[in-house]
Amino acid sequence: AQTVTQSQPEMSVQEAETVTLSCTYDTSESDYYLFWYKQPPSRQMILVIRQEAYKQQNATENRFSVNFQKAAKSFSLKISDSQLGDAAMYFCAYCRKTSYDKVIFGPGTSLSVIP
Amino acid sequence: DTEVTQTPKHLVMGMTNKKSLKCEQHMGHRAMYWYKQKAKKPPELMFVYSYEKLSINESVPSRFSPECPNSSLLNLHLHALQPEDSALYLCASSQGVGREITGELFFGEGSRLTVL
């Protein structure tokens, strides 16, 4: 069975600094998606970044980038120039390409941004 | 702006009440989902509708009854709930069509349910 692990329940970062959130996963599949979702205190969860497993290039979205290590089954999220609005729960997630409707979420990391 | 709309935002009900949660999306997505989320926990999948047919039921108690009247609407009917069912109920949608599948879920803001 596939699992997603986030070993940091809580993290904090100084405004304008850089922080990295960790995620590891376990799967025997070779083709899948990985995601980072953000859920601010207002509750709506939104996609931050998505990575396709067969793409070796790490995905980047503005201040957000990932370090995807397929062999190590690691998928960390780096937030650069942290802003107050980045404070949220961050969930790492996985789904098989053939089973897009079964997304597996990690337990989450609560990120605080210190002004 | 959220493109998945859920109503009501808050609901308080007794254990003998019958109520419904509603969800609507107009993105042309063909897969819709109900998730249950407890505080500081990840969402737990409850039901998936694909092309308006129930495709996944994650062994959810029968006091939760989903309905998909059309491709844009999703309901969750609630009856004889227990206090432990109090949670945030999230609706989501995804494209779910062939090569357009990206796996991305689009979430609503959720309905906060309290069962007394």
Side-chain angles (χ1 to χ4, degrees), chain A residues 65-115:
Chain A
S65 61
V66 297
N67 183 1
F68 173 47
Q69 302 287 330
K70 191 172 184 179
K73 296 180 183 174
S74 170
F75 183 61
S76 60
L77 174 70
K78 185 171 84 170
I79 307 174
S80 304
D81 185 25
S82 295
Q83 301 175 0
L84 295 177
D86 295 332
M89 280 291 287
Y90 286 82
F91 294 100
C92 180
Y94 159 99
C95 76
R96 297 187 309 177
K97 268 199 177 176
T98 55
S99 187
Y100 65 89
D101 50 359
K102 270 223 172 185
V103 176
I104 299 167
F105 288 89
T109 296
S110 177
L111 178 67
S112 302
V113 180
I114 303 164

Side-chain angles (χ1 to χ4, degrees), chain B residues 54-85:
Chain B
L54 184 63
S55 58
I56 295 177
N57 177 343
E58 293 288 91
S59 303
V60 179
S62 60
R63 57 185 184 268
F64 295 90
S65 175
E67 179 195 20
C68 189
N70 59 54
S71 60
S72 301
L73 294 174
L74 187 66
N75 298 322
L76 186 63
H77 302 298
L78 315 171
H79 174 54
L81 296 191
Q82 304 296 310
E84 59 264 28
D85 296 322

Side-chain angles (χ1 to χ4, degrees), chain A residues 10 33 35 37 39 42-47 50 52 89 91 95 97 99-103 105-108 110, chain B residues 2 33 35 37 41-43 45 48 50 55-56 58 88 94 96 101-105 107-110 112:
Chain A
E10 295 180 352
Y33 294 114
F35 312 88
Y37 282 93
Q39 189 176 34
S42 62
R43 302 176 312 188
Q44 185 188 13
M45 195 173 311
I46 57 171
L47 179 70
R50 184 177 71 98
E52 296 184 60
M89 280 291 287
F91 294 100
C95 76
K97 268 199 177 176
S99 187
Y100 65 89
D101 50 359
K102 270 223 172 185
V103 176
F105 288 89
S110 177
Chain B
T2 178
Y33 309 73
Y35 283 88
Q37 187 180 28
K41 297 291 187 183
L45 183 63
V48 181
S50 181
S55 58
I56 295 177
E58 293 288 91
L88 182 67
S94 68
I101 293 174
T102 64
E104 178 179 357
L105 292 169
F107 286 90
E109 293 188 6
R112 172 75 62 191

Side-chain angles (χ1 to χ4, degrees), chain B residues 39-55:
Chain B
K40 295 194 178 294
K41 297 291 187 183
E44 300 171 28
L45 183 63
M46 299 175 71
F47 304 103
V48 181
Y49 274 84
S50 181
Y51 292 83
E52 299 155 54
K53 290 190 179 350
L54 184 63
S55 58

